[in-house]
Amino acid sequence: MASSPPQPLTRTVLAATLLLLLHNAAARADGASPAVNPFTAKAAFIRYWNRKVPNNRPHPAFFVAKLSPLPAADSASFPSALPDIRASLPALCSKAALLCPGPATTDAASLVASGRRGGGPFKGYNNANFSNYGTGGVAGTDSFQKYSPDLNIAADSFRRYGRDSSGRADSFTSYEDDGNVVTANFTSYAGGATGGSGSFAAYAAETNVPDSTFTNYDAAANGRGRSFASYSQEANHGEYGFSGYGKNGNGVRETFKSYGNESNVLASGFANYGQSANGATDTFTGYGVEGNVPENRFRSYGAGGNAGVDTFKNYRDDGNVGDDRFTSYAKGANGGAAEFQSYGNSANPGSTIFKGYGEGTNPNHHIGFKEYAGENNTFKGYAKSGVDFKGYHNTTVSSSTAAALTVSAEAAASMHHEHLKWSPEPGKFFRERELVAGNRMPMPDIRDKMPPRAFLPRAIAARIPFEPNAVSEAFGLPLDTALGKAVASTVAECERAPSKGETKRCATSAEDVVDFAVEVLGDDIVVRSTASTAGGGGRVQLGAVAGMDGGRVTRSVSCHQSLFPYLVYYCHSVPKVRVYEADILAADGSGEKINRGVAICHLDTSDWSPAHGAFVALGGKPGEVEVCHWIFEGDMTWTVAD
């Protein structure tokens, strides 16, 4: 799109520019914020700030650093229509410092696609699509090592992998570890393969917002063995799905070890698992152990199978709440066996529903539960024979049912574990009385885990409707990827009705952030954030502590980043808080100041969930205790100026 001819500068603009130049000179003198080119979107916002917040206080460097770096000419010529915005990528993403899906690496992918029979090993491989890989391969080995490690946005796709191969072994070592917003799709994996084996080791370990899908996995395979070791260990807020897993397979053996252990809010879906398979053997060991709010869905599991054996060991042990669904499990199966050992020994119980369990016309099956514990469990429509419960503990069953069940003391005791992996990091929440000079305390890792992005200028952000389909079109972002799902989640959270006493707004530009803060607090305000990440993840000592607004109970506006292609902040205000600034000193007794922390204390927690991590860490119940926390890197809080 051609840009408009330059317009002559008015007296107002010239005056504003002169004032900004003078401000830059002053900033360089007092070290407040770096000098700003007056002909940029960043400079335009600073002029806006000065009009809305006329208290002549320095502009904080952490906020200025988030402003759009777009030159004025690019801002003025920015297209309005979504297809034109899409056409301007990826140049816009670079100039405006946005988070955009990058093109897949194609060199090795093209080589593999043309070779058709594989050609590993692959080492240090990033972001690629493999189509028709290893089809019809005979014997040999395919190996992928350090695949897409430590990427900000990983998008990997394997289609028709190992189809109709014979005796071939494939392995993935260190797949997408330490990634942020990763998407992996395996389609038609090892379909019709005979013999051979495969292994996934350290799959998606310590990832943030992962989204992986396995479709038609080992369908119609014969005598295959596959192992998943350390799957999604310590992953955060993601989804995994297995669809059409082992359908019509013969003698397929699958082993899942350490699946989703120590993860946070991880969802897994197994659909059409082992359907019509013959002699399938599956073992889940260490599934969801010490997970926080796991959600697992097993649907149409082992339906119509023959002589299949499934074993679940240490399922959800020491987990925190969560939600599990087993629907249509082993329906119509013949001679099948499923064994659950140590199921649901959660530290804080969630809910479990078994529906249509072992139903069908073939009574020749056995399902056993050993040391099954939990609350909110529902069994509907399960087979009346061939199902054995041992050591069952459920506080919600009727008295007549409870009398017929044996209670496991070990299972009951495990319901009250504390300080597990999913427990809040030490120092994430604390009491107000701890904010005193000289106190030594743990400080959580306050690093900004979000991908680096900048604000869009308000005029540009307004041209992109704040809804998933429009964002998808503008940024070429498929909604079935991890980032696409994050966009939809952000929009849904922004559209959620405010909680009791909360005033909220999602700010899609820096101007929106300032406007909301001014509406709530007035125009004489200050924005603060913890100065750096120094001291995070260790013990610190507090120096001087000062309460903002004279230490009185007040209102504040806190803004938290959301995952989006450009900066979007969830800003909200809740009543009855106190805000503090504190010098953070090294804990070695030297008195060295290493940071300047900002903390907020919520004095009214009566509307918080009883399962909130703050009560796990501090004890107490909603409304009984106040809860304080540090403002993390990347977030901010606004208060009335002292």
Side-chain angles (χ1 to χ4, degrees), residues 285-612:
T285 304
Y287 190 102
V289 172
E290 296 191 3
N292 183 40
V293 198
E295 292 189 10
N296 302 308
R297 298 289 185 272
F298 289 82
R299 182 168 52 86
S300 190
Y301 190 101
N306 181 51
V309 178
D310 299 314
T311 303
F312 292 81
K313 297 180 179 180
N314 298 321
Y315 190 103
R316 282 179 51 89
D317 276 14
D318 294 331
N320 181 41
V321 296
D323 185 28
D324 288 328
R325 297 287 187 273
F326 285 81
T327 306
S328 187
Y329 191 101
K331 183 177 181 179
N334 180 48
E339 191 71 40
F340 290 82
Q341 300 178 15
S342 187
Y343 184 98
N345 290 335
S346 300
N348 285 316
S351 63
T352 302
I353 293 179
F354 288 84
K355 187 177 181 180
Y357 202 94
E359 291 183 312
T361 58
N362 293 318
N364 185 26
H365 62 260
H366 176 78
I367 299 168
F369 291 82
K370 296 181 179 179
E371 295 188 20
Y372 187 101
E375 299 177 3
N376 303 319
N377 298 322
T378 303
F379 290 84
K380 294 183 179 180
Y382 67 91
K384 302 306 179 184
S385 62
V387 180
D388 184 22
F389 293 89
K390 296 179 180 179
Y392 188 97
H393 170 71
N394 186 339
T395 61
T396 62
V397 298
S398 64
S399 57
S400 59
T401 303
L405 298 176
T406 303
V407 177
S408 166
E410 294 81 5
S414 73
M415 304 291 289
H416 306 290
H417 287 180
E418 297 180 355
H419 307 299
L420 301 166
K421 288 287 185 180
W422 49 262
S423 297
E425 184 181 2
K428 184 173 183 178
F429 302 106
F430 50 90
R431 301 292 299 275
E432 192 173 18
R433 61 175 178 260
E434 297 182 62
L435 287 170
V436 294
N439 184 40
R440 297 190 179 191
M441 60 189 297
M443 189 171 187
D445 181 3
I446 63 170
R447 290 176 300 166
D448 180 5
K449 304 294 179 62
M450 289 284 190
R453 295 147 297 151
F455 281 113
L456 277 177
R458 172 182 269 180
I460 294 177
R463 299 175 194 176
I464 306 173
F466 193 68
E467 61 93 18
N469 288 331
V471 175
S472 173
E473 181 180 353
F475 289 93
L477 179 63
L479 291 177
D480 61 351
T481 62
L483 183 55
K485 292 178 180 180
V487 165
S489 177
T490 293
V491 172
E493 176 64 11
C494 290
E495 293 175 345
R496 174 187 60 79
S499 58
K500 180 181 177 181
E502 181 189 37
T503 304
K504 55 172 282 197
R505 178 180 301 171
C506 278
T508 60
S509 69
E511 290 88 347
D512 286 348
V513 174
V514 171
D515 284 351
F516 181 69
V518 169
E519 288 176 20
V520 174
L521 304 173
D523 63 3
D524 189 14
I525 54 178
V526 176
V527 62
R528 297 179 175 87
S529 185
T530 299
S532 72
T533 61
R539 293 191 65 82
V540 297
Q541 183 174 346
L542 299 187
V545 179
M548 302 298 98
D549 196 13
R552 293 183 289 271
V553 177
T554 184
R555 290 185 69 90
S556 70
V557 169
S558 293
C559 296
H560 312 280
Q561 286 188 74
S562 298
L563 187 51
F564 223 70
Y566 52 93
L567 273 181
V568 169
Y569 272 87
Y570 179 94
C571 295
H572 66 143
S573 176
V574 292
K576 298 183 180 179
V577 301
R578 275 193 283 261
V579 179
Y580 294 87
E581 277 192 320
D583 288 338
I584 307 296
L585 313 180
D588 58 6
S590 65
E592 177 189 3
K593 179 180 175 180
I594 59 174
N595 203 347
R596 178 72 170 170
V598 178
I600 184 170
C601 293
H602 299 268
L603 307 182
D604 182 4
T605 60
S606 58
D607 199 45
W608 292 25
S609 167
H612 195 286

Side-chain angles (χ1 to χ4, degrees), residues 172 199-204 226-233 255-259:
F172 290 82
S199 64
F200 287 81
Y203 186 97
R226 179 158 304 283
S227 172
F228 288 81
S230 186
Y231 189 99
S232 305
Q233 185 89 353
T255 302
F256 291 82
K257 297 180 179 179
S258 186
Y259 186 101

Side-chain angles (χ1 to χ4, degrees), residues 49-69:
W49 178 315
N50 291 340
R51 293 195 304 272
K52 298 288 290 188
V53 187
N55 57 15
N56 296 320
R57 290 176 177 261
H59 307 115
F62 79 87
F63 197 98
V64 173
K66 301 176 185 297
L67 302 177
S68 175

